[in-house]
Amino acid sequence: MIRKVQAVALDCADPERLAAFYAELLGGEVVADFDDPNWIEVRGFEGIPLACQRVEGYRPPEWPGQERPQQVHLDFDVDDLDGEEKRALALGATLLERTDEIRPGANWRVYADPAGHPFCLCLH
């Protein structure tokens, strides 16, 4: 039986930049693997560690299109959607959709991280 999820790995062209983004966003710390410079983890926050993995020829997903599908996205609980949106954008995120403003009953907004992976900030 599997004990737990060890990490969620995100492919990217620049693992240092992506790890720094998520460390700031989540209040975690960047943990480099000195044996493998293509693998950097973000730990020290509540939840599953994130790993940023360098992939040659990386092409970011296109959201909401399916020519290059997202394949995975992350959801983050927040108490202040507007405040966390400002912080995420200042760190390098891109706003993709303010779902809460266009879909009745929705409590989330969709962004892309600096490598193009979609993620959501969800008001709870």
Side-chain angles (χ1 to χ4, degrees), residues 9-122:
L10 300 172
D11 291 350
C12 61
D14 185 347
E16 294 88 1
R17 179 175 184 227
L18 191 60
F21 169 81
Y22 278 113
E24 282 292 319
L25 185 71
L26 300 171
E29 63 182 0
V30 173
V31 180
D33 182 341
F34 296 107
D35 294 327
D36 185 357
N38 295 316
W39 182 273
I40 299 176
E41 293 188 7
V42 180
R43 300 181 190 161
F45 59 92
E46 186 176 337
I48 298 168
L50 295 177
C52 303
Q53 173 177 254
R54 185 182 326 275
V55 172
E56 294 303 321
Y58 172 75
R59 293 175 44 197
E62 291 180 349
W63 186 91
Q66 292 300 306
E67 186 174 321
R68 291 192 318 251
Q70 62 180 321
Q71 298 180 13
V72 66
H73 80 265
L74 304 169
D75 288 345
F76 301 108
D77 287 346
V78 299
D79 294 322
D80 176 3
L81 196 52
D82 290 330
E84 290 303 318
E85 174 179 280
K86 284 180 186 175
R87 203 166 71 78
L89 295 174
L91 292 171
T94 302
L95 175 65
L96 297 178
E97 179 181 272
R98 286 195 173 109
T99 311
D100 63 319
E101 295 177 1
I102 60 173
R103 195 182 297 176
N107 66 338
W108 69 90
R109 295 178 185 166
V110 185
Y111 306 85
D113 68 22
H117 304 106
F119 71 92
C120 296
L121 298 179
C122 307

